[in-house]
Amino acid sequence: MTKRKANMIKVNNMSSEGITALVLGATGEVGKSLVQELLKNAAFSRIIVVGRRKLDLEDEKVENRIVDFEKLDEHKEAFQDAQVGFCCLGTTRGKAGAKGFVRVDRDYVSQSAKFLKEGGCSHFHLISSQGANKNSTFLYTKTKGETEDLVKEVGFPRLSIYRPALLLCDREESRPLEKIAQIVVRGFDWRNKISIPTYTVANAMVANTLDSQATVKSEETKVEIFENNDILRLGID
Ligand SMILES: NC(=O)c1ccc[n+]([C@@H]2O[C@H](COP(=O)([O-])OP(=O)(O)OC[C@H]3O[C@@H](n4cnc5c(N)ncnc54)[C@H](OP(=O)(O)O)[C@@H]3O)[C@@H](O)[C@H]2O)c1
């Protein structure tokens, strides 16, 4: 039996009720894949989806909680009950402008993390990005780095940060530049060094939740950072 399978069984045995997961950004590309993985996996008995709109999916395991992210203080109860939290939230500068991008990718994410911790969540998964660095001169990587630091300050017993490269998916929303990048990268990135399918990221997060041995790089004992290659190893294992 593989170590991962053994750990999955251990987690299953730990609680007859299974794990309650909470997903932020479940209507997005990584989020949708993640919810599908959580639905398939018997270790998860309940999936709470927190978002600004309902997820277009009916399943008895799924509970939608609608919030106004501009008034998160009024929605603290939406972040209750979860043992594990997954954050796939994010926007783009093109869509939201520079201020809007920072508001979503840094402020909404860090505030949600804080309320999740207060609500009893002990393991938080954050999708950040390749190159995240608070000292970067680029808004995107700087914001992602700042978000990582703010979420670390929340003090989860276990925090898993994922830094994927270019996401490969058939995106519903039109993003011409991303589409071009995906086509170019699909042509030569045969070992996925600079890209990764969204379903692999989702698989990796689920596998890591169930694998207590999965720590890759620790800045502190309870913080794990997964670069693109690490996510690939976890996600396609
Ligand atoms: N694209 C890439 O190549 C790439 C590479 C590395 C890292 N990342 C990061 O990976 C994460 C997931 O990416 P993705 O492509 O799966 O994201 P996505 O498809 O754009 O989905 C983003 C999610 O965030 C929500 N959201 C966006 N703006 C919001 C707002 N103003 N208020 C409330 N919710 C909002 C969306 O909700 P609605 O459905 O309601 O809009 C959706 O659920 C992001 O943090 C992204 O920065 C992306």
Side-chain angles (χ1 to χ4, degrees):
M1 191 187 300
T2 64
K3 203 191 285 174
R4 178 164 306 151
K5 276 196 183 131
N7 280 326
M8 283 173 74
I9 290 163
K10 207 166 81 188
V11 171
N12 279 327
N13 289 344
M14 254 166 38
S15 158
S16 56
E17 289 180 0
I19 302 168
T20 297
L22 185 147
V23 183
L24 291 149
T27 51
E29 297 302 330
V30 177
K32 280 185 289 190
S33 291
L34 174 65
V35 170
Q36 289 306 323
E37 287 306 312
L38 295 173
L39 281 171
K40 277 192 275 178
N41 196 310
F44 298 89
S45 56
R46 192 172 163 209
I47 305 162
I48 300 166
V49 168
V50 174
R52 61 177 168 180
R53 65 190 174 97
K54 198 171 172 289
L55 183 63
D56 189 15
L57 185 153
E58 293 297 329
D59 190 286
E60 57 179 16
K61 264 167 97 168
V62 177
E63 176 189 335
N64 278 279
R65 294 181 182 171
I66 308 299
V67 299
D68 178 349
F69 282 89
E70 283 298 320
K71 295 176 185 162
L72 269 190
D73 278 346
E74 296 172 16
H75 296 278
K76 285 185 185 175
E77 73 293 344
F79 296 87
Q80 297 285 325
D81 314 324
Q83 291 149 282
V84 182
F86 296 92
C87 183
C88 313
L89 207 63
T91 187
T92 61
R93 188 177 182 158
K95 202 168 160 184
K99 274 191 185 159
F101 165 69
V102 175
R103 187 89 186 117
V104 174
D105 283 58
R106 187 189 66 196
D107 302 345
Y108 289 1
V109 170
S110 54
Q111 281 173 20
S112 299
K114 184 169 161 275
F115 292 144
L116 256 166
K117 167 78 175 9
E118 287 171 7
C121 173
S122 59
H123 185 185
F124 188 69
H125 301 257
L126 170 68
I127 310 243
S128 178
S129 172
Q130 187 173 61
N133 176 359
K134 67 176 178 193
N135 299 317
S136 171
T137 46
F138 297 103
L139 180 74
Y140 184 78
T141 41
K142 179 181 165 60
T143 304
K144 293 293 189 185
E146 288 173 351
T147 307
E148 288 186 1
D149 279 4
L150 287 169
V151 174
K152 281 180 199 164
E153 282 169 21
V154 172
F156 286 101
R158 188 175 173 197
L159 169 63
S160 305
I161 296 174
Y162 304 83
R163 292 178 175 165
L166 179 71
L167 294 176
L168 299 176
C169 57
D170 291 320
R171 191 176 290 283
E172 275 180 26
E173 179 195 334
S174 166
R175 287 191 195 165
L177 285 178
E178 186 186 76
K179 191 84 207 157
I180 293 165
Q182 286 183 354
I183 291 165
V184 172
V185 157
R186 274 191 171 112
F188 69 87
D189 190 22
W190 61 279
R191 290 182 77 182
N192 289 97
K193 296 277 185 211
I194 52 171
S195 67
I196 189 160
T198 45
Y199 58 78
T200 306
V201 180
N203 281 344
M205 287 193 284
V206 172
N208 185 35
T209 307
L210 303 174
D211 189 347
S212 57
Q213 311 295 314
T215 302
V216 174
K217 287 172 192 165
S218 291
E219 290 178 356
E220 298 165 27
T221 48
K222 57 192 174 178
V223 180
E224 309 161 337
I225 298 189
F226 297 90
E227 301 292 347
N228 201 55
N229 281 344
D230 304 319
I231 306 172
L232 274 164
R233 259 195 304 278
L234 259 179
I236 56 180
D237 205 4

